[in-house]
Amino acid sequence: MGIAALVTWLLTAVGGFVMLGIWIARGGRRTSRFSPGLIFGHFALAAAGLVVWIVFLFAGVAALAWVALVLLVPVALLGFAMFARWIPAYRARTAVAGTAGPPERHFPVAVVAGHGLLAVVTVVLVLLTALGVNGG
């Protein structure tokens, strides 16, 4: 189950990198509803949690699984905050086609949905692993 969590975490990161690339390429903080602190705080905490998770997988120290899970809590909260700010930008995209607007307006719906879904699965798998539930 720990490896499954690693795989979903890495796939979630890919979606996050796609959106971060779009955000930066489309002007980033100059025109965004997302502050750099929100974007990079989410990224930094997720990356730190991923590093802790990888160390947990190699070292097998149960406390590290709990540390990774605790790091995922603010990651999820920041993710929800960004999702809440993304919805109006996405709705405005369909209402005012052709205008530049904020960079998050250009996030593909499939990437946003996949990122969120994989993030939820990751949190569940990390929790189950920390609780000692074995998938086999």
Side-chain angles (χ1 to χ4, degrees):
M1 191 155 330
I3 298 298
L6 176 63
V7 170
T8 59
W9 204 323
L10 291 171
L11 291 171
T12 304
V14 169
F17 280 125
V18 167
M19 290 185 286
L20 179 61
I22 292 169
W23 188 78
I24 291 169
R26 296 282 184 159
R29 72 179 204 169
R30 289 178 292 151
T31 59
S32 181
R33 304 173 107 180
F34 297 170
S35 72
L38 182 63
I39 296 278
F40 293 108
H42 179 75
F43 169 77
L45 287 169
L50 178 58
V51 168
V52 170
W53 190 253
I54 291 168
V55 172
F56 158 72
L57 291 175
F58 282 105
V61 177
L64 291 174
W66 290 104
V67 171
L69 182 64
V70 167
L71 285 170
L72 283 176
V73 171
V75 171
L77 293 174
L78 292 172
F80 285 130
M82 286 188 284
F83 181 68
R85 291 182 186 179
W86 173 79
I87 291 172
Y90 174 72
R91 287 184 179 158
R93 172 173 84 170
T94 57
V96 200
T99 60
E104 55 273 12
R105 181 181 290 176
H106 303 281
F107 293 168
V109 175
V111 174
V112 173
H115 181 73
L117 180 63
L118 285 167
V120 169
V121 171
T122 300
V123 170
V124 169
L125 290 172
V126 167
L127 174 61
L128 291 174
T129 303
L131 290 171
V133 176
N134 190 350

